Each structure stands twice: as structure tokens, then as C-alpha cells.
Amino acid sequence: SAPLLPFDPALEASLVGAGESLLSAGYTLGLAFLPLSGLSCTGVRTYWGAGAATLKFSLYDKDGTRVKTKTQAVTGPGLVEVTFDAAQALTAGQAYRAAVYCATTSTGAYQGNLPTGAAPTGVVRNGTVAVFDACYTNGDSNPSTSSGWLYLYAVSPILVQA
């Protein structure tokens, strides 16, 4: 079956080994997306490029309310996936943000190590999902500030057909 995300920053970062850290500790990094059909979010994945830490994964709705969250301890670099205790049904046409936060260790962004044309410059869509922004905020809250695709954050929702 076709992948549900037209662009998956966490998986892409794991392929290029994106350990380039551009923000200090205490930032929430996210990916803004819009389901175009009936989907559920079962969790969030990230490529973690740093050492041991406790990561907090969240899903925010269009109003910036955290609707799902789960923490995961990691021991070092690699692709990290968490599954929420229950899937979150998503409303087609409403924006969501998948996010990861770490209070103690710098979170990573990647940009300079991607080949030309590998990163989006605007909305990326398929028939199921539109991915429209990499976003961030200082602190453990809704990552509502746009990076304008200048920096890509290695975080992605894990989506399934509802």
C-alpha cells in the first residue's frame, strides 16, 4: 500500500543520519499536517540524533490543544516511535501537529545535509494527507511557529486509515 504521508521527515532524517542540532534544550519541534480523508493517529516518530534523554511525544489539534501524549526514554541516536495508549481519530480538513519535546538535551533539525530538492518548499500532498509546515516553539507546548521549511524537524505522525 502507498505511504500515508507524502513526506516523512523522521524517516528521511534516519536515512541521512540527521544529527545536526540547531536549537537548545527545551524546544518542541513539530510537523503540521492536514488529513484529507478518514485517518487516525496511533503515535509519533522522530529521528533522535543525540544521546540518552527522555522525549515527550504529543499530538495537537487545530486549536493547539494537546490531545495525545506519551514519554519515552532513549539511550542514544536512532529512529524512535511511540504508540499512544489509544488511537486518535482525526477530522478531515482540520490541521494537526505531531511534536516531540526534550527538556534536557538539544533537539535536532536537519537541513544542510540534504541533497538539493529533497526538502519541500511548500505544501506536499497525496490523496490522503497534506503536510504543510515544519514548526517549533520554546517550551513544552504547541509548536505553532513556522520554520517556513528553512529547517526540517525529524518528527512525523504515525497514521492509519480509520
Side-chain angles (χ1 to χ4, degrees):
S1 67
L4 293 180
L5 281 178
F7 173 71
D8 191 321
L11 290 179
E12 183 164 329
S14 71
L15 294 174
V16 297
E20 192 178 318
S21 185
L22 301 174
L23 296 171
S24 349
Y27 276 82
T28 299
L29 305 180
L31 182 73
F33 67 99
L34 185 77
L36 302 173
S37 63
L39 298 174
S40 292
C41 181
T42 61
V44 175
R45 73 172 58 95
T46 191
Y47 177 80
W48 183 247
T54 299
L55 306 180
K56 184 175 186 179
F57 295 84
S58 299
L59 177 68
Y60 293 89
D61 68 10
K62 67 178 179 59
D63 298 319
T65 302
R66 190 184 329 244
V67 294
K68 293 288 179 184
T69 191
K70 191 161 193 173
T71 58
Q72 175 73 40
V74 296
T75 57
L79 191 63
V80 182
E81 294 188 0
V82 297
T83 302
F84 297 133
D85 293 337
Q88 177 68 41
L90 305 178
T91 302
Q94 290 189 6
Y96 294 87
R97 288 180 172 86
V100 64
Y101 168 79
C102 184
T104 59
T105 305
S106 293
T107 47
Y110 66 103
Q111 182 234 14
N113 54 352
L114 289 179
T116 301
T121 56
V123 176
V124 182
R125 66 174 53 217
N126 60 20
T128 310
V129 180
V131 174
F132 65 89
D133 199 11
C135 46
Y136 69 96
T137 195
N138 189 357
D140 179 17
S141 62
N142 179 33
S144 58
T145 303
S146 171
S147 82
W149 294 117
L150 177 60
Y151 298 108
L152 305 176
Y153 306 124
V155 57
S156 307
I158 301 170
L159 304 172
V160 297
Q161 294 286 348

